[in-house]
């Protein structure tokens, strides 16, 4: 589960997003699904930039709250008392309480109309050293979440 931060006409918004995946390592690209029924959809489509923030498990209730209301009706930054910080390359805000923040630009919109799928290129990454090793949450549907589990290391040809 991640948070997608946008800013349109100087107004920041944050949404909870479950559907995302890595699609390329170099340059780093992420595909994400944003429904055209979401308030963030138009901001992302128009500005072609965002921040993907990876919240720690400690923010789980806040993440669910963010995902349970619309930015069209609520100032989520104020309601959830989200600290923000200016990003380096995009207008969307960083969320410093998160484990990491990825500044992104939309690089492919060919599947937006059919699937709401945007392909993003990460243009800058931020991490919060105080949250190194923090657990993340993973949405399983209908109010069910999983936490990261045990970490194992296995040899590979790339290690």
């Amino acid at each position: 589960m991640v948070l997608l931060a946008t800013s349109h006409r100087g107004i920041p918004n944050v949404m909870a997003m479950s559907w995302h995946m890595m699609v390329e390592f170099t340059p780093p690209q992420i595909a994400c699904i944003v429904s055209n029924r979401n308030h963030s959809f138009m901001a992302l489509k128009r500005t072609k930039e965002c921040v993907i923030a990876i919240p720690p498990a400690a923010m789980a209730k806040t993440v669910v709250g963010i995902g349970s209301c619309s930015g069209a009706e609520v100032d989520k930054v104020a309601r959830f008392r989200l600290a923000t910080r200016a990003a380096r390359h995009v207008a969307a805000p960083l969320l410093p309480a998160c484990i990491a923040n990825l500044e992104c630009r939309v690089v492919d919109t060919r599947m937006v109309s059919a699937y709401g799928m945007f392909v993003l290129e990460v243009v800058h990454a931020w991490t919060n050293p105080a949250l190194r090793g923090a657990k993340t949450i993973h949405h399983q549907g209908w109010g069910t979440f999983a936490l990261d589990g045990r970490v194992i290391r296995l040899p590979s040809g790339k290690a």
Side-chain angles (χ1 to χ4, degrees), residues 51-54 93-103 124-127:
V51 168
I52 293 179
I54 302 166
L94 301 176
L95 303 175
C98 288
I99 297 166
N101 284 264
L102 307 174
E103 295 184 39
H124 198 82
W126 301 84
T127 61

Side-chain angles (χ1 to χ4, degrees), residues 5-17:
T6 55
S7 181
H8 185 245
R9 296 184 177 157
I11 301 170
N13 187 49
V14 180
M15 68 169 269
M17 183 172 67

Side-chain angles (χ1 to χ4, degrees), residues 15-117:
M15 68 169 269
M17 183 172 67
S18 300
W19 297 93
H20 55 279
M21 65 180 174
M22 288 294 303
V23 293
E24 185 59 74
F25 288 103
T26 306
Q29 293 180 343
I30 300 168
C32 66
I33 307 294
V34 180
S35 170
N36 63 7
R37 294 182 305 271
N38 289 16
H39 182 65
S40 296
F41 178 87
M42 271 312 200
L44 184 57
K45 189 172 179 183
R46 288 182 178 152
T47 66
K48 295 190 174 18
E49 59 182 34
C50 64
V51 168
I52 293 179
I54 302 166
M59 285 182 67
K61 287 184 180 176
T62 300
V63 171
V64 170
I66 289 167
S68 298
C69 60
S70 171
E73 301 162 2
V74 174
D75 177 346
K76 295 185 192 184
V77 172
R79 175 179 278 183
F80 297 101
R81 296 185 178 104
L82 299 173
T84 62
R85 216 177 114 191
R88 184 175 290 171
H89 300 286
V90 300
L94 301 176
L95 303 175
C98 288
I99 297 166
N101 284 264
L102 307 174
E103 295 184 39
C104 300
R105 290 210 172 96
V106 175
V107 293
D108 191 334
T109 59
R110 288 177 287 179
M111 292 191 271
V112 170
S113 294
Y115 303 106
M117 187 169 93

Side-chain angles (χ1 to χ4, degrees), residues 132-156:
R132 184 180 173 102
K135 299 286 186 193
T136 57
I137 56 175
H138 306 275
H139 188 235
Q140 294 183 322
W142 304 107
T144 303
F145 297 84
L147 297 179
D148 282 341
R150 186 172 61 107
V151 175
I152 64 170
R153 297 204 186 277
L154 301 171
S156 75

